[in-house]
Amino acid sequence: MNELKNDLLLRALLREPTERTPLWIMRQAGRYLPEYREVRAKAGDFMTVCRNPELACEVTMQPLRRYKLDAAILFSDILTVPDALGLGLYFETGEGPKFERPVRTASEISKLAVPDVSESLGYVFDAVRTIRKELDGQVPLIGFAGSPWTVGTYMVEGGSSRELKIIKGLAAEDPATLDKMLDTVARTTTEYLNAQVEAGAQAIMIFDTWGAALERDDYRRFSLDPMQKIVDGLTRERDGRRIPVILFTKGAGPLLTDMVGTGCDALGVDWTTDLADARKYVDDKVALQGNLDPATLRESPEIIRQGVADTLASYGKGPGHVFNLGHGITPDIDPEHLGVLVDAVHELSPQYHE
Ligand code: 1CP
C-alpha cells in the first residue's frame, strides 16, 4: 500500500500530537458543490453514483481538489446495508430515502438474514479500492456505516421520520424483536466495515443520527449496545497502523460519558454541546471531532472565521481535536464559504499545538 503523506487525521484521532488541527467536513462531497450536481445529473440518480466505483471516486475527490482537507470520506450512504438486507432502497426526486419493503412485524424481522456482503455490497468495496488508488496517499480515507438504531429507524418507518412512531412503538411493545433486528443489522455492519477496511479504509466512522431521540436507558439498549457489538468486532489494525473508530450520536450531550466505554478512539460532537464540556464528559480518554454549527456557513467570512476561532478555543490546547461541523454541510451553502472555514482552521489552529 502507498505511503500516507498526510496522517494528521489518524494521529489526532489517536490523541497523538500534531502541528495543527486536522479537518474534514461531514457531507463534504455532495449537493452544495456544482460539480457534484453535474455528476449526479449525468448519472441520473444518487444510487447510480454510489454503485459506480469511478463515479463514486470522482465525487469523493471533488472537495479535495477545492479545499485543503485532511481526509477523504467514501461516497456512499448508510442505507446500503438495509438495501443489502433486501428492503429495496429507492430515492424519489426531491424526497428523502424510501424502502419498498419496510420491516415491522416479528415475522418480517425473523426473515432477515446477514447477507454475503462481498456480493451484495461489492460495489462499495470496489469504490474503496478505486478511491485509495486515486488518493495515492494524499490523505487517509474514512469508511463508514450507520448505527443499527439509526439504520433501523429507516427500515421500520420505511423512510425519514421525525417522530419515529412505529419503531418507538416496537421498542415499547416488543423490545425483544427489535433487539433481534438490531443484532442482524449490527452483524451485517461489522462484516461490511471490516470489508471496507480490507479494501483500504483507514479510519471508520459510525453515524448515529437518531440515537438521542431515545431516553437514556433505551439509548443504551437500542443504540449504544448494538454499536458496542460492532466496535467489538472491528478490525483495529491494518498494514501496521491502528484503524481509529469514531462514534457520532447527534445530540449526545451527557450520553458522551456512556459512549467512551465502547473502546472507540474518538467521538463526534454536534454544536449543541460545548467542546470544553464534551472534553470533561470524556475525561480526555478519547479524541473529539466537531462541532461548528453548519448554519454558520451561511454567514459572512468574518462570522465564519469567528466561529472557527471559538470552536478551536472551546476545545483548547493539546492533541485530540479533529475540526468538523457539528452535522453535515447543507445543500444551500456557497462553496466559497467553506473555503473561508478551511483557511481559518489552517491559520488559527497551530497556536493550540505548541
Ligand atoms: O440527492 C442526492 O444527491 C443524495 C443526497 C445524499 C448524499 C450526498 C444522500 C441521500 N446520501 C449522501 C451521501 C452520504 N450520506 C455520505 C457520504 C458523503 C460525505 O459525507 O461526503 C454519508 C456519510 C451519508 C450518511 C447518511 N445518510 C446519514 C448519517 C449522517 C447524517 O447526515 O446524519 C443519514 C441519516 C443518511 C440517510 C440519507 N441519505 C440521503 C439523505 C438525504 C439522507 C437523510 C435523510 C433524512 O434526513 O432522514
Side-chain angles (χ1 to χ4, degrees):
M1 278 286 177
N2 38 27
E3 188 93 7
L4 196 49
K5 291 160 198 139
N6 172 351
D7 66 354
L8 289 175
L9 174 87
L10 301 185
R11 283 194 276 144
L13 289 174
L14 300 177
R15 299 185 44 79
E16 292 168 10
T18 54
E19 39 300 356
R20 62 171 173 83
T21 307
L23 88 150
W24 68 279
I25 299 297
M26 287 190 269
R27 296 274 173 114
Q28 64 191 27
R31 288 168 289 179
Y32 73 104
L33 288 178
E35 59 270 36
Y36 167 78
R37 295 197 298 268
E38 199 177 305
V39 169
R40 194 192 58 177
K42 270 196 201 142
D45 64 20
F46 166 70
M47 278 311 290
T48 305
V49 181
C50 293
R51 289 204 176 96
N52 180 316
E54 276 68 42
L55 294 181
C57 176
E58 166 58 23
V59 297
T60 299
M61 297 304 291
Q62 285 174 345
L64 300 173
R65 293 186 195 120
R66 275 190 188 248
Y67 312 111
K68 292 176 284 176
L69 297 166
D70 299 298
I73 179 160
L74 165 69
F75 191 82
S76 188
D77 196 74
I78 64 166
L79 300 177
T80 54
V81 165
D83 189 50
L85 285 164
L87 277 71
L89 173 65
Y90 68 99
F91 286 85
E92 248 158 39
T93 21
E95 279 182 62
K98 294 235 164 69
F99 285 107
E100 281 163 27
R101 292 172 292 279
V103 284
R104 286 169 187 164
T105 63
S107 120
E108 283 161 351
I109 285 169
S110 70
K111 287 189 198 115
L112 293 173
V114 177
D116 177 351
V117 295
S118 67
E119 245 169 58
S120 48
L121 293 161
Y123 64 92
V124 177
F125 316 131
D126 289 342
V128 170
R129 280 185 285 269
T130 307
I131 296 163
R132 273 298 300 273
K133 211 180 278 167
E134 185 69 22
L135 277 171
D136 193 29
Q138 189 188 329
V139 291
L141 175 63
I142 302 168
F144 73 91
S147 76
W149 165 258
T150 289
V151 167
T153 65
Y154 294 90
M155 292 172 68
V156 172
E157 303 287 338
S160 299
S161 157
R162 292 261 153 253
E163 291 180 78
L164 308 176
K165 281 187 192 155
I166 310 175
I167 195 165
K168 284 194 174 186
L170 187 60
E173 288 155 28
D174 191 359
T177 291
L178 181 56
D179 286 335
K180 198 168 166 215
M181 184 188 88
L182 296 172
D183 183 63
T184 304
V185 177
R187 284 185 291 129
T188 308
T189 304
T190 306
E191 292 194 18
Y192 178 53
L193 289 172
N194 282 339
Q196 288 185 31
V197 170
E198 184 65 30
Q202 291 150 298
I204 289 297
M205 177 149 166
I206 300 177
F207 288 91
D208 183 33
T209 309
W210 306 120
L214 291 164
E215 60 181 21
R216 197 162 185 161
D217 287 348
D218 283 349
Y219 172 76
R220 288 197 184 114
R221 175 166 176 175
F222 299 120
S223 176
L224 192 62
D225 283 0
M227 285 199 279
Q228 172 80 67
K229 279 187 203 150
I230 297 172
V231 175
D232 289 344
L234 285 181
T235 307
R236 297 302 280 274
E237 206 185 294
R238 185 96 212 287
D239 298 330
R241 261 199 114 123
R242 187 166 169 89
I243 308 285
V245 175
I246 312 159
L247 301 186
F248 175 52
T249 293
K250 182 170 175 277
L255 297 174
L256 292 168
T257 54
D258 293 327
M259 300 173 78
V260 179
T262 54
C264 65
D265 299 286
L267 290 171
V269 182
D270 75 89
W271 67 93
T272 61
T273 300
D274 199 88
L275 284 180
D277 292 332
R279 224 173 148 169
K280 282 182 210 138
Y281 288 138
V282 307
D283 198 17
D284 274 345
K285 289 195 178 84
V286 296
L288 295 176
Q289 176 174 280
N291 71 342
L292 184 65
D293 184 347
T296 307
L297 286 173
R298 288 191 198 106
E299 305 304 325
S300 64
E302 294 69 36
I303 292 175
I304 295 169
R305 270 179 68 85
Q306 191 57 50
V308 169
D310 292 345
T311 303
L312 290 168
S314 93
Y315 186 85
K317 282 191 184 287
H321 182 208
V322 172
F323 196 98
N324 206 314
L325 299 177
H327 197 209
I329 185 169
T330 53
D332 60 318
I333 297 303
D334 177 347
E336 299 220 351
H337 285 206
L338 181 54
V340 172
L341 178 152
V342 172
D343 289 346
V345 175
H346 278 260
E347 195 185 313
L348 302 173
S349 72
Q351 59 184 300
Y352 292 94
H353 300 273
E354 277 155 8

